[in-house]
Amino acid sequence: MQTVPDNSDVILARGQGKPGFLWTERTDKSHSENSRISQSPAPDSSCNATDFSSIYSKHLLPHPDGEKMSRAFLQELVRTLLAYVAKTFDRSSKVLDFHHPHQLKEGLEGFNLELPDQPENLEQLLVDCRDTLKYGVKTGHPRFFNQLSSGLDIIGLAGEWLTSTANTNMFTFEISPVFILMEETVLRKMQEKVGWTDEEGDGIFCPGGSMSNLYSLLLARYNLYPEVKMTGMSNLPRMALFTSEHSHYSIKKAAQVIGIGVKNVFVVKCDERGKMIPVELESSIMRAKTAGCVPFYVNATAGTTVYGAFDPLHDIADICSKHGLWMHVDAAWGGGLLMSKRHRGKLRGIQRASSVTWNPHKMMGVPLQCAALLVRQKGLLQECNQLGAEYLFQPDKQYDVSYDTGDKGIQCGRHVDVFKLWLMWKAKGSEGFGSQVNRCLENAEYLFNSLSERADFELVLKNKPEHSNVCFWYIPPSLRGISPGAERDTRLHEVAPKIKAKMMEEGSVMIGYQPTREKVNFFRCVFSNPATRKEDVDFLLDEIVRLGCGL
C-alpha cells in the first residue's frame, strides 16, 4: 500500500515570510466579507487597508477604530479553520504530522512555543494558529480510532464558537438566562431517555465523566450520612464501595479524593466478556460487612472502556435494593445507545439507578467537553453542595432564584457545555442521534466479521461486540507457527506498540492498544465518528498488515 500523501503545507499554508495581506472594506452597509486585493504594504491601522505584519492585538476591538481590523483578522482565522475542517474529512490527508516532544519544544520551521516579552504581530499569530493545527491530531478524521471521543460535527462546532463568543458562566440565571434554561431542557430530555418520570430527576453538566463519577460518590455518602458535610469523615465508620474489575479508574480516584480511600474500593470479578458477575457482587458486599465496613455504593458500568461491556443492571439493582445501597451507572461511553431504538435495550434497568454518568461528547459526537451527571432524587445535589455564597446567590433577586444552579456543583465557575448539544439535538432530532449510533455499531460489526474471516488476526473476544469496541491481535508471519505459550506471548506483546509507532510516524491512521492483566498488548478499535465508512475499516487492517508483516 502506498504511503498516504500529505498536503498540509498546501491547505494550511505556513505563511513563509510576511505576505502582507491587504484588506479593503466594502462600501455597502452590510458586514459582508472583506476582499483580499493585493500584497502591497499597508497603511496605518486607522485606514481601510490592513497589513497583518504591522498590526498588533492592541489595534483590535475594543480599540475605537478596531472593528475593521478585528473583522479582517477573524475572517482570515476562519479561513484557516475552514481549511482545517475540510482537510479533516479528506482521506488523502494525514491523521497527524508526528514529531517528538523535544522537536516541538526546540521549534520547527519557525514554530516557537516560548512566550515573548514584546508583543508579536497578528501575522505571526495567524501562522502560530496554522502551525498549532498542522502539528496536532485530527481527531475528526474518519481514520482516527484512538479514543472514545472522535469526529467533528459542524453544528457542534458552530455551537462551540457561539459559546466562546458569549463567554458567560453557568452559576446564575442573572448572567446566563438562556443557557440555564437550555440546560434544564436538555437534562430533562436525558432523564426521559434514562426512563425516569417527570417527578424524578435532577442533574448538572460536569467537566468530564470522571467528575460526574466523583459527584455520584459525594451524593451517595451525603445521602447516608448528611452530617459529613459539616463534620467530615472523622466520626463516620469505615465505608465500602463496589465496582467491577473492568470499570473506569476514576471510581478509585474519586474514592481517594473524598477520603474514603482506595483500599475501601472492593473490586468485583467479571465474566470473560467483562461484565460484573452479580453473585460476586453479593459475595463482596458480605465480605465487606464481615470486615466491619459499611457498604453504601455500587458502580455499574454501561459500556466499559476497553471491551465495551454492559453490566447486568437489573440484577445489580436487585442487590442494591436488598442491601440499601446507592446504585450508580457509569454510562459515560454507553449512554449514547439510549438514543437508538435498536440498541437501547442493552441498558435495560438503568431507570433503577440512583445516578447516571452520561458523556454526549463520546458516542453522540458532541465536541469536547460535554458530560452530564443525572440524579434521580430532586434537590439532593443542592443539599449536598450548597454553601450559599452571598455575593452570588442572593435570595431577594427579582426572579425565581431556583434557577441559580451554581450551588449544585463543586465548582464556582462552570463552562457552558450545553449549547452545542442543544443545537445538535435541534439539528438531528433524537432519531438522527439514533441513526448515528447505529452506524457506529454497524462499523464495529463489520470489523468484527472481517477479523473473524482472516488468519492473520485474532479476536480477543469471540462473541459479537455489544458496543463499538473491537479488540484484536495482529499475528505477523513470524509468530504464526509458534504454539500458544510464554514465548509467543512475549513476542506478541511487542507487536502492537511497534505497529502503533510506525502508524504515528507515517500519520496514516491511529488506533489504540493496551494489555489487560491476563492478556498481552492488543489493539482496541472504537467507533464514534459517523464519518467513518467500511473503506476506512479496510484501510486500517491493510495498514496494520503493511506495517507489521515484517515483525
Side-chain angles (χ1 to χ4, degrees), residues 163 166-184 397 399 403-405 414-419:
T163 297
N167 192 34
T168 192
N169 206 313
M170 286 294 286
F171 42 48
T172 63
F173 179 85
E174 176 181 339
I175 65 164
S176 193
V178 180
F179 294 136
I180 289 284
L181 296 180
M182 283 179 178
E183 184 173 71
E184 179 189 59
K397 293 179 180 179
Y399 59 82
Y403 288 100
D404 288 353
T405 59
R414 190 160 62 88
H415 186 258
V416 178
D417 291 327
V418 69
F419 179 71

Side-chain angles (χ1 to χ4, degrees), residues 11 81-91 93 152:
I11 297 181
L81 297 177
L82 292 178
Y84 178 82
V85 169
K87 189 170 173 54
T88 292
F89 294 101
D90 178 5
R91 285 173 170 79
S93 70
L152 179 58

Side-chain angles (χ1 to χ4, degrees), residues 370-421:
C370 188
L373 172 75
L374 309 177
V375 185
R376 186 163 51 163
Q377 183 178 334
K378 283 186 176 180
L380 193 63
L381 266 169
Q382 187 87 2
E383 292 174 22
C384 178
N385 296 306
Q386 182 176 15
L387 284 176
E390 293 179 348
Y391 76 98
L392 277 177
F393 308 116
Q394 304 92 347
D396 51 357
K397 293 179 180 179
Q398 80 273 29
Y399 59 82
D400 182 353
V401 295
S402 67
Y403 288 100
D404 288 353
T405 59
D407 238 4
K408 291 163 68 171
I410 303 170
Q411 305 163 255
C412 177
R414 190 160 62 88
H415 186 258
V416 178
D417 291 327
V418 69
F419 179 71
K420 54 200 170 188
L421 172 56

Side-chain angles (χ1 to χ4, degrees), residues 503-520:
M503 275 184 182
M504 292 186 67
E505 289 167 1
E506 296 201 10
S508 57
V509 65
M510 277 189 75
I511 182 175
Y513 73 86
Q514 71 284 306
T516 60
R517 279 176 295 181
E518 71 280 7
K519 294 179 173 66
V520 299

Side-chain angles (χ1 to χ4, degrees), residues 319-483:
I319 293 170
C320 289
S321 178
K322 175 181 175 181
H323 293 277
L325 308 182
W326 182 282
M327 178 182 169
H328 176 67
V329 176
D330 180 359
W333 176 220
L337 272 63
L338 291 170
M339 306 300 291
S340 166
K341 295 176 182 177
R342 188 185 306 172
H343 296 288
R344 62 173 290 114
K346 295 171 183 178
L347 293 93
R348 191 173 292 110
I350 194 172
Q351 73 277 7
R352 300 177 65 185
S354 305
S355 56
V356 174
T357 290
W358 181 353
N359 289 5
H361 68 230
K362 291 183 176 172
M363 182 51 67
M364 293 171 70
V366 180
L368 282 162
Q369 63 192 15
C370 188
L373 172 75
L374 309 177
V375 185
R376 186 163 51 163
Q377 183 178 334
K378 283 186 176 180
L380 193 63
L381 266 169
Q382 187 87 2
E383 292 174 22
C384 178
N385 296 306
Q386 182 176 15
L387 284 176
E390 293 179 348
Y391 76 98
L392 277 177
F393 308 116
Q394 304 92 347
D396 51 357
K397 293 179 180 179
Q398 80 273 29
Y399 59 82
D400 182 353
V401 295
S402 67
Y403 288 100
D404 288 353
T405 59
D407 238 4
K408 291 163 68 171
I410 303 170
Q411 305 163 255
C412 177
R414 190 160 62 88
H415 186 258
V416 178
D417 291 327
V418 69
F419 179 71
K420 54 200 170 188
L421 172 56
W422 179 85
L423 199 65
M424 286 176 65
W425 212 317
K426 296 275 280 189
K428 297 174 187 286
S430 299
E431 291 187 1
F433 274 126
S435 297
Q436 183 173 310
V437 169
N438 293 344
R439 180 167 187 173
C440 290
L441 270 68
E442 286 166 5
N443 282 333
E445 186 172 352
Y446 177 78
L447 173 58
F448 175 83
N449 291 336
S450 298
L451 293 168
S452 300
E453 297 168 358
R454 297 182 62 148
D456 49 352
F457 289 91
E458 217 174 276
L459 286 159
V460 173
L461 302 174
K462 304 304 181 185
N463 297 324
K464 178 181 172 182
E466 286 190 291
H467 205 337
S468 74
N469 309 50
V470 182
C471 301
F472 59 93
W473 292 282
Y474 169 65
I475 313 298
S478 63
L479 295 184
R480 290 174 202 166
I482 301 177
S483 300

Side-chain angles (χ1 to χ4, degrees), residues 143-309:
R143 292 171 181 172
F144 176 84
F145 307 105
N146 209 72
Q147 255 69 47
L148 303 184
S149 51
S150 67
L152 179 58
D153 187 275
I154 301 302
I155 300 297
L157 177 63
E160 192 68 77
W161 285 354
L162 185 146
T163 297
S164 295
T165 302
N167 192 34
T168 192
N169 206 313
M170 286 294 286
F171 42 48
T172 63
F173 179 85
E174 176 181 339
I175 65 164
S176 193
V178 180
F179 294 136
I180 289 284
L181 296 180
M182 283 179 178
E183 184 173 71
E184 179 189 59
T185 299
V186 172
L187 287 170
R188 186 170 63 246
K189 192 71 173 179
M190 295 174 78
Q191 291 153 13
E192 174 190 307
K193 294 296 181 182
V194 167
W196 293 338
T197 66
D198 291 340
E199 291 72 34
E200 299 172 307
D202 200 349
I204 192 170
F205 278 82
C206 305
S210 293
M211 283 297 296
S212 297
N213 289 340
L214 173 65
Y215 271 106
S216 72
L217 271 173
L218 285 170
L219 292 170
R221 183 179 64 178
Y222 175 82
N223 188 57
L224 186 60
Y225 295 114
E227 64 270 24
V228 71
K229 182 174 179 177
M230 301 306 296
T231 62
M233 292 285 291
S234 58
N235 295 323
L236 299 188
R238 182 185 169 196
M239 304 177 73
L241 61 111
F242 307 84
T243 192
S244 86
E245 58 186 344
H246 282 270
S247 65
H248 195 262
Y249 73 94
S250 61
I251 299 298
K252 289 183 178 180
K253 182 172 283 190
Q256 166 195 320
V257 168
I258 71 171
I260 288 176
V262 175
K263 286 188 175 181
N264 295 317
V265 178
F266 285 71
V267 177
V268 182
K269 292 180 181 178
C270 294
D271 63 19
E272 68 281 357
R273 294 280 296 157
K275 298 170 177 285
M276 183 189 288
I277 302 172
V279 173
E280 294 290 344
L281 172 60
E282 184 98 48
S283 298
S284 296
I285 293 170
M286 299 310 298
R287 194 161 57 249
K289 289 182 177 180
T290 301
C293 299
V294 176
F296 78 107
Y297 172 102
V298 174
N299 172 64
T301 307
T304 58
T305 305
V306 178
Y307 288 168

Side-chain angles (χ1 to χ4, degrees), residues 6-57:
D6 184 24
N7 52 355
S8 299
D9 293 330
V10 176
I11 297 181
L12 297 178
R14 289 186 42 81
Q16 301 294 333
K18 296 179 179 179
F21 294 139
L22 186 67
W23 296 79
T24 182
E25 183 73 4
R26 290 177 57 156
T27 56
D28 60 278
K29 295 182 180 179
S30 66
H31 292 301
S32 57
E33 192 174 300
N34 295 325
S35 303
R36 184 161 50 189
I37 59 173
S38 77
Q39 294 187 356
S40 306
D44 64 73
S45 61
S46 63
C47 300
N48 288 342
T50 302
D51 177 356
F52 289 134
S53 67
S54 63
I55 300 300
Y56 295 80
S57 64

